[in-house]
Structures are given as C-alpha cells and as structure tokens.
Amino acid sequence: MANGDTIVEHRLDTEGADPLMLAGVNDRNFHEVSRLFGVRVVMRGNHLVLSGELPTVERAAPVVQHMIELSRLRAPFDTPDIARFAEGVDALGADGIVHPDDEVRIALPGSRRVIVPKSDGQRTYINAIQNNDIVISIGPAGTGKTYLAVAAAVDALYKKRVKRIILARPAVEAGENLGFLPGDLQEKVDPYLRPLYDALEDMMPHERVRRALEDSTIEIAPLAYMRGRTLADAFVILDEAQNATRAQTKMFLTRLGLNSRVVITGDKTQIDLPRDADSGLLEIEEILGAIDGISIIYLDAKDVIRHRLVKDIIRAYAREDADEDEAASP
C-alpha cells in the first residue's frame, strides 16, 4: 500500500479470477464499489487497484477481495450482493463476509442450480430449516422467506428425505375486491397461489413440476384444505401466514405427522385480514417461542434481495409507522 498526502492505493491479486464476472457487464460491479465506498477501482494486469482515502480503502478492500474469490470459483454475484457484502463488513469487519467454501448451499440437480443465502439472516434461516422440525420466518417482502423455504423443500424431495411437498396459503384478498372469478374451485384459488408456482418453476424443470402436481408429489392448496388431514412424510410450507387466523394457525400446526418438516412464513406489516380477525402470526411468537424443536427467525431490510430500492422503501414505511405510533401515544 503506497501513501500519498491523503490518498492511498491498495493492490489486490486477481490471478485466476474470471475478469468479466469480477468487473460485471460494462464494469458495473466496479462502479458499484466506487458508489458504495467512494474509492477508485482500476484493473491493471493481474491486479485490482483501489485508491482513495485510507478509511474508505480499508472498508472496500475485504469486499473486493471477496468478489475476487467468488470470481475465481465462478460463483455468480450481482450489484445488490456487493451492497450486502458491504453491510457485513460494516457490522462485523472482515469476518462479516462468509467465505464461499463455508456457505450453506442448496443444490438443485434438476435445474443444475445452487441456491446460496445472500445475507446473514438468510444463512441463519436455512440452517434453522435444516436443524428444526418447525421453523417460523417473519420478515418483510423480498427477504427470500418463501423462495428459500421452497428451495429447501425441493432439496428434501430430491434427496428422498420426504415423499411430498405441500404448499399452502390463506386465500385472502390483498386489499382488493377481486370479485367473481370464473372456473372450477381450483381455478378460483390459483391466483392466490401463483407465487408458489413461480418459485417451484424457477427451481425445477416445467415438465417435472407438471408431473409432480398431477401425481400429488407436490400439492399447492389453500390453507382451508388442510383441515382434518395428517401430513406425514412431507415438507409443508404455510406462506403469507399473517393472513391466517389464530384458529387456522393452530389447525395447520396440529396437522404435523411423522417425518415431516414445517416452515411458516409471514410479514406482520402486511396483514389483509378483516379488522375483527386476529392474525395467528402475531400470537405465534409468544405461544411457541419456548418449545424445543421450533425456531423463530426474524429477517429485516438488510436481508432484502430484490431491487435495492425495495430496502429503502421498507425502511421509509417503517419510519412512517413509527412516527404515527409516537404521535398516537398519549
């Protein structure tokens, strides 16, 4: 590292790294590093040179080193991932970034894809699913609650740890009156369940999804269909659980049979139930939090994996809600 009056340079060895993967299309990964840290990023032969004020270069160096390691392993990443790497460094220093060899990974052989957690919260979530019979994931939109649960379910099915996957959602309108929907009962509820189909089809070949639905290896159904059943040898996911009533949540949890896993996901800020109906998700922490074998995982804006503006939107609404609560308090 060479010192000037106020500017330093730090050289990082990039030998063996995929240059396009490292830099991104039109150098967008380098531009993102510059935007986040206020440093200049230049590729010189087999070295990447960071230049800027000492504190900013010291913050940027472990993030860029991690990008180089990922590029050597041909492990893809994008600009939102770089922001998450930076948050990990800010929170825990260089130890805030998990080395690729230490990552929790879910391999999906049918699609030749590997699902890797994008944040500490997601990593904790996947670990909880692997080590508990019931996991409750609470957090805002975009944190991967449903996607990672479906990935874990598909992984368990491929590895024959379960015989079937059951995906359920409460059929509650999200603040809109959808009116009369044509078709049979399944066609009427399919719009509510579409996000679950989307997640499945992103992880499994379309034809395999179709066959699995036809032979009931995979079942996607409204929560009401669960009443009276015993769900054995199954990976069961209840999505959008904030829209399940207390009675429905209890009913669902007591369906658990032998050799089954349950994941419940929900967002306490997006409850669409009528005002006179209590959300089962709001009570579940107090009622079940102390039971061994049940893990409650909280995700927040730091775990959002959608467009970077989603994280800012969630935080802006949270501030507005806090201001309203403060104004309403005596």
Side-chain angles (χ1 to χ4, degrees), residues 119-125 137-140 143-146 148 297-304:
S119 68
D120 287 336
Q122 290 191 349
R123 194 173 299 109
T124 301
Y125 180 31
S137 174
I138 299 173
T143 51
K145 302 183 302 294
T146 303
L148 293 175
I297 303 298
Y298 296 93
L299 302 173
D300 57 30
K302 296 192 300 295
D303 303 301
V304 170

Side-chain angles (χ1 to χ4, degrees), residues 7-296:
I7 300 298
V8 299
E9 283 191 355
H10 184 51
R11 299 168 67 87
L12 295 165
D13 183 10
T14 62
E15 187 173 0
D18 183 312
L20 179 58
M21 186 172 290
L22 177 59
V25 177
N26 296 323
D27 290 342
R28 66 184 182 187
N29 292 341
F30 292 167
H31 293 319
E32 180 69 359
V33 171
S34 295
R35 185 187 73 82
L36 288 169
F37 299 103
V39 298
R40 187 165 177 258
V41 184
V42 178
M43 183 79 84
R44 294 178 184 166
N46 284 335
H47 289 88
L48 198 63
V49 181
L50 307 179
S51 58
E53 296 181 358
L54 180 59
T56 60
V57 170
E58 287 181 336
R59 281 184 64 224
V63 171
V64 176
Q65 183 63 52
H66 187 63
M67 293 165 55
I68 293 170
E69 291 175 6
L70 290 173
S71 301
R72 284 179 176 139
L73 293 171
R74 307 302 190 265
F77 61 92
D78 210 338
T79 50
D81 300 319
I82 298 172
R84 282 186 287 276
F85 302 156
E87 288 179 350
V89 168
D90 288 343
L92 300 171
D95 293 336
I97 302 180
V98 175
H99 190 276
D101 291 342
D102 299 329
E103 283 281 17
V104 179
R105 296 167 181 259
I106 298 175
L108 302 174
S111 61
R112 295 182 180 179
R113 292 186 56 200
V114 176
I115 306 297
V116 179
K118 301 288 190 178
S119 68
D120 287 336
Q122 290 191 349
R123 194 173 299 109
T124 301
Y125 180 31
I126 292 179
N127 276 323
I129 292 174
Q130 293 175 343
N131 293 296
N132 294 274
D133 290 334
I134 297 177
V135 174
I136 299 152
S137 174
I138 299 173
T143 51
K145 302 183 302 294
T146 303
Y147 190 84
L148 293 175
V150 173
V154 172
D155 180 55
L157 184 66
Y158 273 129
K159 293 177 178 175
K160 301 188 184 301
R161 292 173 179 166
V162 296
K163 294 180 179 178
R164 54 186 174 151
I165 297 172
I166 299 174
L167 311 174
R169 259 191 171 200
V172 176
E173 296 170 349
E176 302 176 48
N177 184 1
L178 299 181
F180 177 77
L181 294 171
D184 60 22
L185 184 59
Q186 189 63 46
E187 290 171 325
K188 291 177 190 295
V189 300
D190 271 356
Y192 298 101
L193 307 174
R194 187 69 248 172
L196 298 175
Y197 287 102
D198 291 343
L200 272 177
E201 291 176 356
D202 193 49
M203 299 175 196
M204 298 174 65
H206 176 77
E207 185 61 25
R208 181 155 188 176
V209 173
R210 185 188 63 78
R211 290 198 307 269
L213 290 169
E214 287 178 353
D215 65 18
S216 296
T217 301
I218 298 177
E219 179 182 351
I220 304 178
L223 176 58
Y225 283 24
M226 300 297 106
R227 186 173 298 278
R229 301 178 62 182
T230 298
L231 307 175
D233 292 313
F235 197 116
V236 191
I237 299 172
L238 172 58
D239 193 36
E240 297 288 344
Q242 75 275 6
N243 291 326
T245 64
R246 184 181 189 276
Q248 286 177 320
T249 304
K250 178 183 176 183
M251 176 273 292
F252 174 79
L253 284 167
T254 54
R255 301 305 94 200
L256 183 65
L258 295 175
N259 190 40
S260 286
R261 293 288 178 97
V262 168
V263 177
I264 296 175
T265 72
D267 178 358
K268 294 191 290 187
T269 69
Q270 295 193 21
I271 297 174
D272 301 309
L273 290 168
R275 291 186 179 275
D276 59 348
D278 294 328
S279 170
L281 189 67
L282 298 182
E283 297 183 344
I284 210 167
E285 301 159 88
E286 297 179 11
I287 296 174
L288 303 180
I291 298 178
D292 187 36
I294 298 179
S295 177
I296 301 178

